[in-house]
Amino acid sequence: MAIPEVKASAATAPATKPAERKPDPCVVIIFGASGDLTKRKLLPALYHLEQAGLLPKEISVVGVARRPLETTFAPDMKEGILAGGGVDQADPALQPFMDKVSYHAMNFDDDGGYTSLKAMLADIDAKAGTKGNRLFYLATAPEYFADIINALGKHGMNKPEANSASWVRTIIEKPFGHDLESARVLNDDVNKVFAEDQIFRIDHYLGKETVQNILVFRFANGIFENVWNRNYIDHVEITAAEAIGIEGRGPFYETAGALRDVMQNHVMELLSFVAMEPPVSFEASAVRAEKVKVWRSIQPIHPADTVRGQYGPGIVDGKQVVGYRQEDRVHPQSQTETYAALRLEIKNWRWAGVPFYLRAGKRLAKRVTEITIMFKQPPLSIFKDEQGKDAEEIRNNIISMRIQPDEGITLRFGAKLPGPSMSISPVNMNFSYAETFGASSANGYERLLLDAMLGDATLFAHRDGVEATWALMTPLLEYWAKNPIRDLPNYAAGTWGPPTSDAMLKADGRKWRKL
Ligand code: BG6
């Protein structure tokens, strides 16, 4: 039976546009621009900012990659912008924006390439008025990050011209390292060339409205924070489920797996927002300090509190799909996990004793990222005549934060069923972003690109944070590498992951919420 629903609506008419924060004129230089990210996310996001009037007039975008794409790059990016949503082919601002997009072909280890890039940027400054401000975006495969950073330093492109008011910043894509040691080495390399306040380690989950809203929900409302602790909360679940497989990224995914690809970064970021103490302000240093405290308070995760899985063939969206080991450029006996689940505990005064269950995986039953806060049951049930089979659904209040899709928040509580008995039915109070504020074509990169242009690092990872999350994951990765499991694949594509994941919660007398 579907659970009855009460809808939330905006109390006052929603503002159509956030307060304007316009960055300085600048050039955005994207290394690895021939990759998917630039076309699917970065250019559409930049154009959404342009549409919202949030970009400076003097902006220029330079794609950098190895292939000779000089004539095809801008038209290709235009296609990406149109596919990114919210843009009409006939939009009069589109072609003028495309005229600001150019391309520079070079090998990342070629000194001559940096010399000519530097000259090109100086030329753009002179013609477009970009004032020497540079935002480098490293969207290459991670093995090139250190080389590019070093070369930028060697060619004096890491700092502004002497005696100028300009700035130079660099955004670095994930994955930032593949374990604690490599993250430390990369941090050292980057910090030799750029000061920490020039570095923007990106996690695109922090660009999502629903993720930022976790902080607003908790810290801009008086009623939730009082119950946001071990006295009232039974446990917390975080699910990052994808229906897609590895989408042709075999060689990358073989070296990554679900723990590195999603758990160490996206899921850990969600966890920190759910669990952190209120920061003293919404400034980068204050927010980052509270996040890092959460990660450092997590007890080392015991291998017995982990589950790994790999998908076999199955049916997704009504179509037969191959198993992970049959994917292109994947080893036929691969041990790489496409599913990971963890149980962990945060040892601090707010959370001691509250289990956090996290799961992330590919080729699961559907795409859903959701945080469930399951509250404790009332101490005593005076209503004996509860309806329905699932007592947990009735007795435990739930706040579920729907990060994506169907973005919103639901509060579940019990209500009296109309009729002559005191029967209880769970009901949902539902807030939907799209219904309340209208649908949006934003992909999350808008806010982060804008913040980096403005020099605001609040929604970016700091060195300490990256190392703290790798410190949690690395022992597990090492244990898993030394202890292969025999029964892979252990879940069929299109299901909710391996049975051992359900068993982990069952051992605690709990179960994953049905999403
Ligand atoms: C990326 C991972 O960081 O996040 C991908 O590398 C994953 O494997 C993606 O598919 C998920 O992002 P989103 O925004 O679609 O949830």
Side-chain angles (χ1 to χ4, degrees), residues 449-471:
L449 283 162
L450 184 67
D451 280 2
M453 287 181 211
L454 289 161
D456 180 351
T458 311
L459 295 175
F460 290 85
H462 186 264
R463 167 173 194 148
D464 296 349
V466 169
E467 292 181 11
T469 50
W470 275 124

Side-chain angles (χ1 to χ4, degrees), residues 41 174 204-205 208 242 244 249 252-253 261-262 265-266 362 367 369 404:
K41 303 280 183 182
K174 68 174 277 272
H204 77 279
Y205 267 52
K208 294 181 193 276
E242 297 183 89
I244 55 170
R249 295 196 301 160
F252 161 74
Y253 205 82
D261 187 35
V262 170
N265 36 78
H266 306 327
K362 297 218 179 261
R367 174 175 183 248
T369 302
Q404 64 188 20

Side-chain angles (χ1 to χ4, degrees), residues 79-159:
E79 266 177 34
I81 290 173
L82 289 168
V87 185
D88 193 289
Q89 175 89 42
D91 184 343
L94 186 55
Q95 197 46 49
F97 181 79
M98 297 322 302
D99 294 342
K100 297 176 182 175
V101 175
S102 51
Y103 184 77
H104 181 68
M106 62 178 271
N107 281 328
F108 304 137
D109 59 357
D110 171 22
D111 273 325
Y114 290 93
T115 309
S116 51
L117 176 63
K118 195 173 175 181
M120 178 179 179
L121 297 179
D123 193 44
I124 292 175
D125 282 341
K127 291 192 180 125
T130 40
K131 300 203 167 151
N133 296 321
R134 313 267 182 265
L135 180 61
F136 292 107
Y137 196 123
L138 270 53
T140 62
E143 59 265 31
Y144 298 111
F145 292 167
D147 290 348
I148 296 171
I149 296 274
N150 282 330
L152 291 175
K154 183 171 163 197
H155 289 266
M157 297 164 82
N158 56 331
K159 13 184 191 306

Side-chain angles (χ1 to χ4, degrees), residues 60-97:
S60 188
V61 180
V62 179
V64 181
R66 278 163 295 192
R67 281 185 272 156
L69 303 172
E70 286 81 353
T71 51
T72 52
F73 185 69
D76 199 30
M77 294 303 111
K78 189 172 171 182
E79 266 177 34
I81 290 173
L82 289 168
V87 185
D88 193 289
Q89 175 89 42
D91 184 343
L94 186 55
Q95 197 46 49
F97 181 79

Side-chain angles (χ1 to χ4, degrees), residues 14 92 117 125 139 142 147 198 244 252 264 317 324 326 331 378 432 498 509:
L117 176 63
D125 282 341
D147 290 348
Q198 293 179 288
I244 55 170
F252 161 74
Q264 178 269 334
D317 290 334
Y324 178 69
Q326 291 82 52
H331 194 280
S432 148

Side-chain angles (χ1 to χ4, degrees), residues 273 340 423:
F273 274 19
S423 298

